[in-house]
Amino acid sequence: QVQLVESGGGLVQAGGSLRLSCAASGSGFSINFMGWFRQAPGKRRELVAAITSGGTNYADSVKGRFTISRDNAKNTLYLQMYSLKPEDTAVYYCNTRIGSRPSLDYWGRGTQVTVSS
């Protein structure tokens, strides 16, 4: 059974940093697609960063500030966040995509990141 568990969220002042972790179990540590999404109140869930076999990709709003990485030995996905801004406040979700035709998406429960002014 695929399970994703996020951790590392919290309250931080603007300009601070956090590192989010996503521990994957089962077959959830995908080489096809893993990513971090976030959703703020009243807004749509958006892709923050993704890592695939082909490389990494970032939302324009976080380029230069966030870094996505993975530790294959620990089956863990990370999101290192620097220079946090109040607009980064959201629930951050880990996502993995398994297989193709069809593929299945799995989500963690999310971890809250709150950035104060």
Side-chain angles (χ1 to χ4, degrees):
Q1 187 74 22
V2 174
Q3 293 188 64
L4 303 173
V5 181
E6 302 97 335
S7 62
L11 175 64
V12 65
Q13 291 183 311
S17 62
L18 287 171
R19 189 179 74 163
L20 306 183
S21 299
C22 171
S25 63
S27 58
F29 202 64
S30 174
I31 63 171
N32 183 29
F33 179 96
M34 295 195 76
W36 289 97
F37 291 72
R38 68 186 181 188
Q39 187 167 25
K43 295 187 177 182
R44 299 173 63 185
R45 186 173 298 187
E46 63 176 349
L47 176 66
V48 177
I51 185 166
T52 70
S53 60
T56 59
N57 190 44
Y58 299 91
D60 288 342
S61 60
V62 307
K63 286 181 179 177
R65 299 189 297 119
F66 292 10
T67 301
I68 188 171
S69 63
R70 58 193 288 160
D71 186 332
N72 294 334
K74 296 182 178 180
N75 286 355
T76 301
L77 181 74
Y78 300 99
L79 184 67
Q80 180 66 58
M81 305 184 293
Y82 293 107
S83 301
L84 284 162
K85 304 175 180 180
E87 52 263 43
D88 295 319
T89 296
V91 178
Y92 284 70
Y93 297 92
C94 180
N95 167 261
T96 185
R97 179 168 293 163
I98 304 296
S100 63
R101 298 180 63 86
S103 62
L104 297 175
D105 285 296
Y106 298 87
W107 298 88
R109 297 286 182 88
T111 185
Q112 176 72 48
V113 172
T114 303
V115 184
S116 62
S117 300

